[in-house]
Amino acid sequence: MEQAFKRTQILTNHLLQSSPSSQTLSSNACLSYSPPELSENYAFDIKDMRKLIDRHNLEERDWLFGLMKQSKLFNPKVRGGKVFVSPDYNQSMEQQREMTLKRIEYLIEKGAFKGWLTEKGEDIEMRKFAGFEVCSIYDHSLFTKLGVHFFLWGGAIQFFGTKHHHDKWLRDTENYSIKGCFAMTELGHGSNVRGLETVTTYDSNTGEFVINTPCESAQKYWIGGAANHATHTVVFSQLHINGTNQGVHAFIVQIRDADGNICPNIRIVDCGHKIGLNGVDNGRIWFDNVRVPRENLLNSVADVSPDGKYLSSIENPDQRFAAFMAPLTVGRVNIAISSVYQSKVALATSIRYALTRRAFSLKQNEPEVLLLDYPSHQRRLFPLVAK
């Protein structure tokens, strides 16, 4: 009973912010902390190590990081004479989304993505990969939103479209006057593209395609960019011509006007707060007999004539589907690549921590040992550095 009373009294003093009369805290020297790159000497050339890890486009990477360090949008902070940038994950979902959008608009204004869709060749592709890695290292929401816009929406127009689509859409996509998303995944079928339930028919009287969500499981689900910012989307849908299902095809659909209002016969619902990645505005989309011009069919594999005839040089439906899906491989590759980016961040964090955190001393009154001096720690991290 006495112990319970004593504990209650301690809690009461704590809550009332008053000090116990019988005890006082004595000052004690705390362990000092300093990031290793500010205090440690290295027995190797850091620039050579970076060449091994980053491999290509080092100047472009430094330039992009430099843009981030110059803007308050990226929360630059000076530590030990060096500038570090990192997002504020304590912001609300709405704030994180708006900050992601503002960061993209800032980078667009500075020319960070110039040529990403309008130029061709190995150089631009490698520059694109380097830029995505920098954005991913800063914040995966920034990487994801850019990836949806450039690789998925922009890539669909590049690979599924033909010249008139390229001329009309790619430059406006690159300068972000059009904000694109990618409406493939559905609630009922996930990434099973062949099983999608959205249906499109052709009205030869008006020269328009009519896109419809026939049931709840056909709603487009978890579409990045759809909830707030996207103005256009690529819709993947079963194409029915004269009662025959010709399989999955892709259509360009405007979902918001220039003022951000959702277009008629389209319903969009926010997927809401997530455990992570709250800088991306995922949404759900329904189409209620939405009409789009015949030219909005991305027709690199198949087309529909003005009078409603289905045209394709690939007669076999399975081969046609394979040809249609092949360009999407790049999206899957980028998912794997992005996991490498995140692994680099995790590995760098682990090593930096192991170079500052100390645990246990070998002898009394000696400094405690750095985690990275323990062989078990080295065996976990060093092979990953080498890899």
Side-chain angles (χ1 to χ4, degrees), residues 294-305:
R294 188 178 66 90
E295 294 76 20
N296 282 25
L297 167 65
L298 296 174
N299 61 348
S300 64
V301 174
D303 206 349
V304 175
S305 66

Side-chain angles (χ1 to χ4, degrees), residues 337-351:
I337 291 173
S338 71
S339 70
V340 176
Y341 300 161
Q342 296 308 301
S343 298
K344 285 185 180 182
V345 174
L347 183 58
T349 303
S350 300
I351 291 172

Side-chain angles (χ1 to χ4, degrees), residues 92-138:
S92 68
M93 178 186 74
E94 293 78 12
Q95 289 173 319
Q96 289 187 54
R97 289 178 175 183
E98 287 307 307
M99 287 304 295
T100 302
L101 177 65
K102 288 178 180 178
R103 286 165 185 154
I104 292 174
E105 291 173 338
Y106 165 79
L107 293 174
I108 290 278
E109 181 185 332
K110 296 297 183 180
F113 314 121
K114 189 176 185 299
W116 277 27
L117 292 173
T118 55
E119 296 178 17
K120 295 181 180 180
E122 182 180 343
D123 289 345
I124 190 66
E125 293 302 322
M126 297 307 291
R127 183 151 56 89
K128 199 186 301 183
F129 281 127
F132 267 113
E133 182 166 1
V134 169
C135 292
S136 180
I137 287 172
Y138 175 76

Side-chain angles (χ1 to χ4, degrees), residues 235-300:
V235 178
F236 289 80
S237 169
Q238 305 288 350
L239 175 59
H240 289 201
I241 299 293
N242 298 322
T244 301
N245 183 2
Q246 299 292 350
V248 176
H249 292 67
F251 304 84
I252 295 174
V253 179
Q254 184 170 355
I255 59 175
R256 285 185 176 84
D257 63 21
D259 297 321
N261 302 308
I262 297 174
C263 294
N265 301 329
I266 293 175
R267 182 160 64 100
I268 298 177
V269 173
D270 197 327
C271 287
H273 187 274
K274 304 181 285 290
I275 293 175
L277 218 65
N278 280 303
V280 181
D281 50 316
N282 294 88
R284 302 149 64 190
I285 312 175
W286 293 257
F287 304 94
D288 183 11
N289 295 314
V290 174
R291 290 178 171 266
V292 298
R294 188 178 66 90
E295 294 76 20
N296 282 25
L297 167 65
L298 296 174
N299 61 348
S300 64

Side-chain angles (χ1 to χ4, degrees), residues 36-314:
E37 63 268 24
L38 303 183
S39 58
E40 301 288 338
N41 294 318
Y42 301 97
F44 62 90
D45 191 314
I46 299 174
K47 292 182 179 179
D48 285 344
M49 171 67 86
R50 189 186 168 209
K51 287 178 183 177
L52 285 173
I53 293 178
D54 284 346
R55 296 181 66 85
H56 63 90
N57 296 87
L58 301 185
E59 291 183 3
E60 284 87 351
R61 293 169 193 259
D62 288 342
W63 175 73
L64 190 49
F65 273 125
L67 290 180
M68 294 179 179
K69 293 175 183 178
Q70 294 168 21
S71 172
K72 293 181 179 179
L73 293 170
F74 295 86
N75 304 325
K77 295 178 181 178
V78 179
R79 295 287 185 273
K82 296 185 177 182
V83 180
F84 296 85
V85 289
S86 63
D88 181 1
Y89 293 116
N90 291 316
Q91 291 180 324
S92 68
M93 178 186 74
E94 293 78 12
Q95 289 173 319
Q96 289 187 54
R97 289 178 175 183
E98 287 307 307
M99 287 304 295
T100 302
L101 177 65
K102 288 178 180 178
R103 286 165 185 154
I104 292 174
E105 291 173 338
Y106 165 79
L107 293 174
I108 290 278
E109 181 185 332
K110 296 297 183 180
F113 314 121
K114 189 176 185 299
W116 277 27
L117 292 173
T118 55
E119 296 178 17
K120 295 181 180 180
E122 182 180 343
D123 289 345
I124 190 66
E125 293 302 322
M126 297 307 291
R127 183 151 56 89
K128 199 186 301 183
F129 281 127
F132 267 113
E133 182 166 1
V134 169
C135 292
S136 180
I137 287 172
Y138 175 76
D139 175 31
H140 209 59
S141 287
L142 179 63
F143 164 86
T144 301
K145 199 167 175 71
L146 285 170
V148 168
H149 178 75
F150 281 101
F151 273 132
L152 295 184
W153 155 265
I157 293 172
Q158 276 184 320
F159 296 120
F160 297 147
T162 48
K163 187 177 185 303
H164 72 275
H165 299 112
H166 301 164
D167 293 343
K168 182 175 181 179
W169 301 101
L170 288 183
R171 189 165 297 281
D172 284 344
T173 297
E174 188 175 281
N175 63 30
Y176 216 54
S177 58
I178 285 175
K179 301 174 180 65
C181 63
F182 191 77
M184 174 182 281
T185 303
E186 293 180 0
L187 178 61
H189 291 281
S191 294
N192 175 19
V193 180
R194 197 186 284 269
L196 297 180
E197 296 177 291
T198 302
V199 174
T200 298
T201 56
Y202 181 68
D203 184 349
S204 57
N205 294 321
T206 62
E208 295 173 316
F209 288 105
V210 184
I211 303 173
N212 189 50
T213 303
C215 54
E216 280 303 291
S217 58
Q219 64 180 273
K220 296 299 181 180
Y221 200 82
W222 214 257
I223 310 303
N228 291 129
H229 303 139
T231 59
H232 293 72
T233 189
V234 172
V235 178
F236 289 80
S237 169
Q238 305 288 350
L239 175 59
H240 289 201
I241 299 293
N242 298 322
T244 301
N245 183 2
Q246 299 292 350
V248 176
H249 292 67
F251 304 84
I252 295 174
V253 179
Q254 184 170 355
I255 59 175
R256 285 185 176 84
D257 63 21
D259 297 321
N261 302 308
I262 297 174
C263 294
N265 301 329
I266 293 175
R267 182 160 64 100
I268 298 177
V269 173
D270 197 327
C271 287
H273 187 274
K274 304 181 285 290
I275 293 175
L277 218 65
N278 280 303
V280 181
D281 50 316
N282 294 88
R284 302 149 64 190
I285 312 175
W286 293 257
F287 304 94
D288 183 11
N289 295 314
V290 174
R291 290 178 171 266
V292 298
R294 188 178 66 90
E295 294 76 20
N296 282 25
L297 167 65
L298 296 174
N299 61 348
S300 64
V301 174
D303 206 349
V304 175
S305 66
D307 59 353
K309 292 180 181 178
Y310 185 74
L311 309 169
S312 178
S313 60
I314 307 174

